[in-house]
Amino acid sequence: MSQQMLKKVLREKKQRMTAQRELILKVFLESNGKLMSLDDVYMQIRRRKNHKTSKMTIKRGIELLEELGIIRKIDFDDGVVRYELIDDVTDEVNAIFICENCGKAVKMEVSKEAIKNLLPKKDIEIKDFELKIYGICTECQV
């Protein structure tokens, strides 16, 4: 989703485009599909010069973007809620790698055909699936 599309959605919902909301969206756009927690977004914004946005403002901005259908909440039941920018092309998350050391989560594309090849019987029709893969990311292996 582009910033122009966000502005249009906000206008339709009678919401203003604030600098903080624009910055939150920019962080998600620059994440390249990476799942991000509130703390991840907060740290990305704090690293930028002259941005003193509070964590509560970021939390409210994220909640609004989720309510508007621009980002999606993903909960792995590990105590850290993560969010991702909704991609218009692939709207479903079907596989996620989660680092057991640092908690980083990365969305992965896995085809139904690849999953079907793992099944003991090949005549099973897969309608949908969700896969969580736990391990240690390359940064934590060093």
Side-chain angles (χ1 to χ4, degrees):
M1 172 166 292
S2 70
Q3 290 179 340
Q4 295 294 14
M5 290 175 70
L6 174 61
K7 287 178 184 179
K8 182 180 179 222
V9 170
L10 287 171
R11 261 194 315 272
E12 289 171 359
K13 301 285 185 177
K14 307 229 186 301
Q15 297 284 336
R16 291 184 310 121
M17 172 58 109
T18 64
Q20 291 87 356
R21 290 173 185 167
E22 192 167 0
L23 190 55
I24 292 166
L25 178 64
K26 189 173 185 179
V27 167
F28 277 101
L29 287 169
E30 292 172 354
S31 73
N32 296 320
K34 180 182 171 200
L35 302 177
M36 302 185 73
S37 68
L38 170 62
D39 289 335
D40 294 334
V41 176
Y42 178 69
M43 292 310 296
Q44 288 291 326
I45 289 173
R46 294 293 292 178
R47 286 188 187 117
R48 297 168 192 254
K49 293 185 179 190
N50 301 324
H51 286 287
K52 305 281 188 225
T53 305
S54 74
K55 199 171 196 178
M56 187 52 78
T57 299
I58 294 169
K59 182 178 188 297
R60 285 191 303 264
I62 286 174
E63 287 170 351
L64 176 66
L65 293 177
E66 180 188 7
E67 183 183 313
L68 296 173
I70 295 167
I71 61 174
R72 169 189 301 126
K73 182 191 304 188
I74 300 175
D75 192 352
F76 299 121
D77 297 325
D78 64 353
V80 179
V81 176
R82 294 170 183 87
Y83 301 88
E84 71 167 340
L85 190 65
I86 294 176
D87 184 355
D88 293 332
V89 178
T90 56
D91 194 27
E92 294 298 318
V93 176
N94 58 18
I96 298 172
F97 171 80
I98 304 158
C99 178
E100 293 177 320
N101 189 42
C102 68
K104 177 171 55 177
V106 179
K107 184 172 87 170
M108 300 168 43
E109 297 296 326
V110 178
S111 70
K112 286 182 183 179
E113 198 59 41
I115 296 298
K116 194 170 188 174
N117 289 334
L118 297 173
L119 297 173
K121 293 188 175 193
K122 303 300 178 206
D123 60 343
I124 297 173
E125 179 187 348
I126 298 173
K127 296 202 180 218
D128 195 15
F129 68 94
E130 187 174 302
L131 179 64
K132 294 179 186 175
I133 303 168
Y134 294 91
I136 307 295
C137 71
T138 54
E139 288 87 16
C140 290
Q141 290 178 12
V142 178

